[in-house]
Amino acid sequence: MNDLYRHLAGCDLAVVQGGLATTMELVAARRPFLYFPLGHHFEQQFHVPHRLARYGAGRRMDYTSATPEVIAAAIAAEIVQPAAYQPVNPAAVRTVGRQIAELL
């Protein structure tokens, strides 16, 4: 989906896998979300939750133990909370872009 960021920015609450790009789009858009990291995926189990914790963003869920009732309760709790995340520095995108360009 080419315009995923638009859908994420306009959602009331997102339920997503624990990928860094998608979750950080939600953080930048200040949208509430639940995320389900893949069980044996190092980045999603360690790096992404660490990054999201720094922003105070998202609710981590466990796919293996999340029943429909647990997910519904988490949605109900999160959708009424304002997304009071730490702001994402817009200059960070330019910095990363420059760093990648230097590698090319």
Side-chain angles (χ1 to χ4, degrees), residues 15-102:
V15 178
V16 299
Q17 186 179 308
L20 184 61
T22 301
T23 57
M24 285 305 296
E25 286 280 356
L26 290 161
V27 173
R30 303 183 75 74
R31 307 310 312 145
F33 63 96
L34 310 179
Y35 69 102
F36 293 80
L38 293 174
H40 299 291
H41 192 287
F42 180 82
E43 180 185 22
Q44 291 184 17
Q45 286 294 322
F46 299 101
H47 177 68
V48 174
H50 176 74
R51 172 75 58 91
L52 294 176
R54 287 179 26 207
Y55 287 95
R59 179 185 280 207
R60 183 178 181 165
M61 305 289 291
D62 178 46
Y63 178 78
T64 61
S65 63
T67 64
E69 294 79 17
V70 168
I71 296 169
I75 289 171
E78 291 298 317
I79 203 161
V80 297
Q81 299 296 322
Y85 311 148
Q86 295 296 317
V88 175
N89 180 352
V93 174
R94 286 187 295 277
T95 301
V96 170
R98 273 189 238 115
Q99 291 172 343
I100 291 171
E102 290 173 7

